[in-house]
Amino acid sequence: MGRLIANLILILGDQLSQQIASLEAADRETDIVLLVEVAEEASYVRHHKKKIAFLFSAMRHFAESLHGAGWRVDYIRLDDAQNSGTFGGEVARALDRHGCDHVLVTEPGEWRVQADMARWSARFGVPVKILTDTRFVCSRAEFETWAAGRKQFRMEYFYREMRRKTGLLMEGDAPAGGKWNFDSENRKPAKADLFMPSPVMFAPDLITQDVLALVEARFADHFGDLSGFWFGVTGEDAEEALAHFIEAALPRFGDYQDAMLEGEKYLYHSVLSVYINTGLLDPLEVCQRVEAAWKSGHAPLNAAEGFIRQIIGWREYVRGIYWLKMPDYVDGNFFGNQRPLPDFYWSGETDMACLRAAVKQTREEAYAHHIQRLMVTGNFALLAGIDPKQVHEWYLAVYADAYEWVELPNTLGMSQFADGGLLGSKPYAASGNYIHKMSDHCKNCRYDVKQKTGEGACPFNPLYWDFLHRNRDKLSDNPRMGQMYRVWDKMSEEKRASYLHSARAVLDAL
Ligand code: FAD
Ligand code: DLZ
Ligand code: SF4
């Protein structure tokens, strides 16, 4: 006999897993699964067209697979005549349609959505149960316990606990290979290579083609190219992408993790965040597969460890920080930066070759790898004193893998140091020399990376010193910055003035 209580189970666009907690707790006989395409989610920041298309297509495919697995699925399309455009509005309509007396959801990834859900029970007059998202190794409650009483949070210590908890790359109580972290081996610049792997690209099927037409019609004025859409949109596609990454790119992932090359959009990166963050891949399973590749001798330890650290270390850690510190976190502005985001973050029209390449590929693919995000677009915004909230909204909009829980701490914390150093012990600020060392962009640039000041100098060079000078009261006590202030102080008055003058010219031209 089925249960008397029928649940309405709302599955959000980034919860597309049959193992998601709300489905695990549900009953196929009595419960209704609801998925909704809603205008508010696509436009509270104006997401990249490819991101919206990916999500809608993945949601439609997921609904089909649920139906095939025997679930009763109610799917609301964006262009359904009665679509209210919001999660709450669609839950209200579905409760009327189906007469369910409970709502069951898995906790959402964004504070904004959680705050809305907290009001649903009173609004709809039915119990609303919000379940822990079991896709994460560390629950929000566990992270709070870890953080309690600590003056400083450091990812490295958190990561070691996650290694112990998961048993990944552990030999008894000790880390495999005798070290927790092989990052020092992972800083090689890459060379153009005919055999550079590329992620598996999937031709759009009929469902995706429908969605592409919808997105082109409804979101024509959003950032991003829709043409050349190749993302996988099902769990099977994502599996194939994972297998290909492990086979073709993982062995060199570690070595070239920090490298950039003109015209090479992916290098040895996995391009899996888009699938992991929507639920098409399970993060722990991904790590176990990578560990198995190391155990079988296919990939070296520095690659496997580097990759696993990103997922059970950084990914879990930034989520913990997000939930610990929201809602105030988003207003962090340690340096008091107010400058608006330059237009070229949208147009890509700049003579700075590194920025042009990063923005161009972001527009084309809704993807850029970590070092492009951190050391090119992020570094420039930091040095130029851009309002961190505008920087945050840009990253949230333009990347297919961006959800606030992961994007915000990476942008506002790691990249812009706007949280005053909760996430990193010093700002990721660098002059042109870093980009020159790690990439081949400078040879295609109108600016000269070796030139420090004056017309034609790489803008990162004067901006770097101007940033340090401008923020001296905030940074000079930081032990990791002392050395740079000593270098600045030893410069002649004339040299310092020349840096500041050149920086002013760059900033005035923005
Ligand atoms: P790979 O280099 O192949 O790394 C493997 C996996 O590790 C990724 O798929 C991802 O799941 C995880 N990972 C790596 N670094 C991080 C990190 N710092 N935080 C969390 N997970 C990480 N990542 C997002 O998933 N969504 C975002 O919105 C996002 N915004 C970012 C904004 C800025 C300013 C910066 C500096 C980083 C941001 N990151 C974000 C982290 C990282 O850049 C991306 O996860 C990565 O580029 C995704 O590409 P990939 O799958 O090829 O990653
Ligand atoms: C990003 C996004 C977009 C563009 N559209 C939808 C949607 O129409 N329906 C949906 O369920 N989810 C969408 N999402 C993902 C949500 O924004 C995400 O689930 C919340 O921000 C919580 O992380
Ligand atoms: Fe970027 Fe400067 Fe190199 Fe040009 S010279 S590509 S602006 S780092």
Side-chain angles (χ1 to χ4, degrees):
M1 206 173 71
R3 290 178 308 170
L4 292 176
I5 294 172
N7 292 305
L8 178 68
I9 298 157
L10 174 67
I11 302 281
L12 305 181
D14 54 356
Q15 300 180 339
L16 307 182
S17 158
Q18 301 237 12
Q19 281 75 48
I20 197 84
S22 45
L23 285 180
E24 294 273 330
D27 185 335
R28 266 170 241 235
E29 298 294 317
T30 52
D31 296 346
I32 305 277
V33 181
L34 176 70
L35 288 105
V36 296
E37 294 171 6
V38 284
E40 183 171 75
E41 291 308 300
S43 46
Y44 75 96
V45 292
R46 291 153 55 83
H47 294 292
H48 193 297
K49 287 182 210 157
K50 273 200 174 114
K51 177 180 188 179
I52 303 175
F54 163 69
L55 238 328
F56 286 5
S57 180
M59 286 170 67
R60 290 183 186 193
H61 282 90
F62 186 66
E64 280 202 345
S65 72
L66 286 179
H67 188 71
W71 291 97
R72 294 163 65 198
V73 182
D74 187 2
Y75 192 96
I76 304 300
R77 291 179 175 226
L78 188 78
D79 48 9
D80 283 351
Q82 309 299 317
N83 190 330
S84 63
T86 65
F87 284 143
E90 285 315 290
V91 169
R93 290 201 316 122
L95 285 171
D96 275 354
R97 264 196 312 280
H98 302 292
C100 300
D101 40 23
H102 279 67
V103 175
L104 199 55
V105 286
T106 306
E107 59 193 357
E110 301 197 349
W111 198 88
R112 157 190 78 82
V113 181
Q114 178 177 273
D116 185 30
M117 281 180 179
R119 293 188 289 266
W120 285 1
S121 189
R123 178 174 165 193
F124 306 136
V126 297
V128 175
K129 193 163 180 191
I130 304 180
L131 301 171
T132 296
D133 191 340
T134 51
R135 290 175 296 171
F136 292 90
V137 175
C138 181
S139 71
R140 284 155 52 175
E142 275 176 272
F143 191 87
E144 269 177 41
T145 308
W146 178 82
R150 269 170 217 264
K151 279 214 189 79
Q152 270 198 328
F153 306 148
R154 284 293 162 252
M155 198 290 290
E156 187 59 30
Y157 298 113
F158 170 79
Y159 165 57
R160 290 178 192 180
E161 290 207 13
M162 294 302 104
R163 288 273 292 277
R164 290 192 186 97
K165 181 170 181 188
T166 57
L168 285 164
L169 304 180
M170 294 298 291
E171 284 162 355
D173 290 337
K179 275 202 305 188
W180 292 101
N181 184 319
F182 290 80
D183 215 16
S184 57
E185 296 173 27
N186 291 358
R187 297 195 182 127
K188 299 193 179 80
K191 279 204 271 312
D193 176 351
L194 284 177
F195 303 103
M196 189 82 73
S198 151
V200 192
M201 301 190 173
F202 301 87
D205 65 3
L206 290 177
I207 294 180
T208 303
Q209 288 171 31
D210 267 0
V211 166
L212 290 171
L214 172 78
V215 172
E216 195 54 83
R218 286 287 297 270
F219 305 104
D221 56 346
H222 282 215
F223 174 77
D225 297 346
L226 206 46
S227 62
F229 181 95
W230 59 260
F231 287 131
V233 289
T234 65
E236 292 75 38
D237 293 348
E239 256 308 305
E240 196 181 327
L242 169 63
H244 176 77
F245 162 68
I246 291 177
E247 177 58 33
L250 175 66
R252 301 173 95 175
F253 172 87
D255 290 351
Y256 301 122
Q257 209 180 335
D258 288 359
M260 293 176 279
L261 276 180
E262 189 88 14
E264 289 293 347
K265 297 171 177 172
Y266 311 107
L267 290 113
Y268 298 92
H269 291 276
S270 68
V271 199
L272 293 177
S273 52
V274 63
Y275 305 130
I276 297 173
N277 293 351
T278 39
L280 298 185
L281 286 177
D282 179 72
L284 188 56
E285 278 174 32
V286 169
C287 291
Q288 286 161 346
R289 294 273 296 278
V290 165
E291 181 189 44
W294 164 67
K295 281 192 172 154
S296 73
H298 172 65
L301 185 54
N302 71 312
E305 188 282 317
F307 185 89
I308 287 172
R309 175 162 23 92
Q310 304 311 316
I311 295 195
I312 64 166
W314 281 112
R315 186 172 184 274
E316 296 280 338
Y317 179 72
V318 297
R319 176 177 184 260
I321 297 272
Y322 176 80
W323 287 107
L324 194 66
K325 295 294 172 186
M326 279 297 276
D328 298 340
Y329 195 74
V330 71
D331 295 319
N333 191 350
F334 181 64
F335 297 122
N337 289 336
Q338 302 294 337
R339 191 176 294 278
L341 190 75
D343 281 347
F344 64 72
Y345 275 76
W346 302 106
S347 69
E349 284 170 21
T350 164
D351 287 336
M352 290 179 272
C354 53
L355 272 159
R356 191 170 60 225
V359 173
K360 179 171 179 282
Q361 85 163 68
T362 299
R363 193 176 57 231
E364 288 169 355
E365 308 296 351
Y367 175 85
H369 61 73
H370 188 66
I371 291 301
Q372 293 175 300
R373 298 187 205 197
L374 186 64
M375 299 312 293
V376 178
T377 42
N379 184 21
F380 188 86
L382 173 70
L383 298 185
I386 309 299
D387 174 356
K389 198 171 266 175
Q390 292 194 26
V391 183
H392 147 59
E393 286 174 358
W394 182 80
Y395 280 97
L396 186 57
V398 303
Y399 291 115
D401 60 13
Y403 300 90
E404 201 179 71
W405 66 266
V406 54
E407 175 278 328
L408 183 68
N410 268 299
T411 303
L412 205 105
M414 187 191 296
S415 160
Q416 300 301 297
F417 209 73
D419 62 4
L422 198 62
L423 235 89
S425 52
K426 84 186 222 323
Y428 281 96
S431 68
N433 191 40
Y434 176 88
I435 296 171
H436 181 50
K437 209 170 65 192
M438 298 313 296
S439 82
D440 61 352
H441 289 306
C442 300
K443 70 177 181 341
N444 302 313
C445 190
R446 175 170 96 66
Y447 299 105
D448 180 355
V449 71
K450 300 275 184 220
Q451 192 183 322
K452 305 293 181 202
T453 56
E455 170 58 28
C458 166
F460 283 87
N461 293 339
L463 284 183
Y464 175 75
W465 291 111
D466 189 59
F467 164 79
L468 287 189
H469 174 69
R470 215 182 324 130
N471 296 303
R472 184 165 198 140
D473 59 330
K474 301 263 173 41
L475 293 176
S476 58
D477 287 344
N478 182 323
R480 297 193 62 200
M481 302 299 287
Q483 163 65 11
M484 292 323 286
Y485 279 104
R486 281 191 288 281
V487 174
W488 175 245
D489 291 340
K490 277 196 193 136
M491 284 181 203
S492 68
E493 189 80 16
E494 200 184 332
K495 196 165 177 191
R496 284 202 299 258
S498 163
Y499 271 124
L500 299 184
H501 180 75
S502 293
R504 174 64 31 218
V506 172
L507 293 174
D508 286 348
L510 285 181

